[in-house]
Amino acid sequence: AQSVTQPDIHITVSEGASLELRCNYSYGATPYLFWYVQSPGQGLQLLLKYFSGDTLVQGIKGFEAEFKRSQSSFNLRKPSVHWSDAAEYFCAVGLNFGNEKLTFGTGTRLTIIP
Amino acid sequence: ETGVTQSPTHLIKTRGQQVTLRCSSQSGHNTVSWYQQALGQGPQFIFQYYREEENGRGNFPPRFSGLQFPNYSSELNVNALELDDSALYLCASSDRDYNEKLFFGSGTQLSVL
């Protein structure tokens, strides 16, 4: 069975600083990988997704993620964070891009300080 | 704004009661998935409906059941509520035929006392 580990429960970053959120997955086949963001009281918004091709994926809001098969990782990055990036971030793995169940990590809460 | 609406937004029930949560899918979407998100956890897949048929189920007991209607709106029903059922329930719609991404609603916060 697939699983996702987000080792950082909470990260605090200064506004304007760079960000990296870690994600490791366990999956028997080539995974579809996702990063979602959830603001308080809101549903999940897709930031980016990956299945194949270039291992560096660009998403919305200036986020990118890099797939590293050898490390079973799919870390999310942003060069310069904004106060509006404060939210909960979830990494997820699935069988395809929209049809099957997603397995989510436990999330990383991002706090931005001035 | 995803076009996926859920009702009610908040709900309080007591243990042993039954509850029905509703989801209106984005226009044109034929698939709806339900997730349970406990406090401090990631969402967990409950089940998925495709064109009114159940199309996959997660590790949830039979007292969690669902329906999808011809207009592709959906209901999640939970019988014999337990305290651990307290969670945010999210629905997500998609177009399975075109392998489209999931669009999530804002969820229903269920509290079981």
Side-chain angles (χ1 to χ4, degrees), chain A residues 32 34 36 38 41-46 49 88 90 96-107, chain B residues 31 35 37 40-43 45 48 55 57-58 88 90 94-97 99-102 104-106:
Chain A
Y32 286 77
F34 306 80
Y36 282 87
Q38 185 178 36
Q42 299 297 312
L44 298 164
Q45 182 183 22
L46 181 66
K49 58 188 180 184
E88 189 91 20
F90 293 95
N96 54 41
F97 278 151
N99 297 345
E100 300 295 335
K101 70 176 183 177
L102 296 178
T103 298
F104 286 86
T106 52
Chain B
T31 304
Y35 287 81
Q37 186 178 14
Q41 300 296 315
F45 175 76
Q48 182 184 85
N55 182 52
R57 188 177 183 92
L88 179 68
L90 298 164
S94 62
D95 187 334
R96 180 185 171 91
D97 296 338
N99 203 17
E100 290 290 333
K101 70 178 185 179
L102 301 180
F104 281 85
S106 298

Side-chain angles (χ1 to χ4, degrees), chain A residues 53-113:
Chain A
D54 192 344
T55 56
L56 187 61
V57 182
Q58 301 298 319
I60 63 171
K61 304 185 179 187
F63 286 93
E64 65 180 25
E66 185 172 14
F67 171 65
K68 293 185 177 180
R69 185 185 300 275
S70 62
Q71 298 177 19
S72 297
S73 69
F74 188 56
N75 294 347
L76 182 71
R77 301 196 294 246
K78 187 170 185 178
S80 176
V81 297
H82 186 262
W83 64 266
S84 61
D85 293 326
E88 189 91 20
Y89 291 81
F90 293 95
C91 181
V93 61
L95 290 176
N96 54 41
F97 278 151
N99 297 345
E100 300 295 335
K101 70 176 183 177
L102 296 178
T103 298
F104 286 86
T106 52
T108 297
R109 183 161 62 93
L110 176 63
T111 297
I112 308 295
I113 57 176

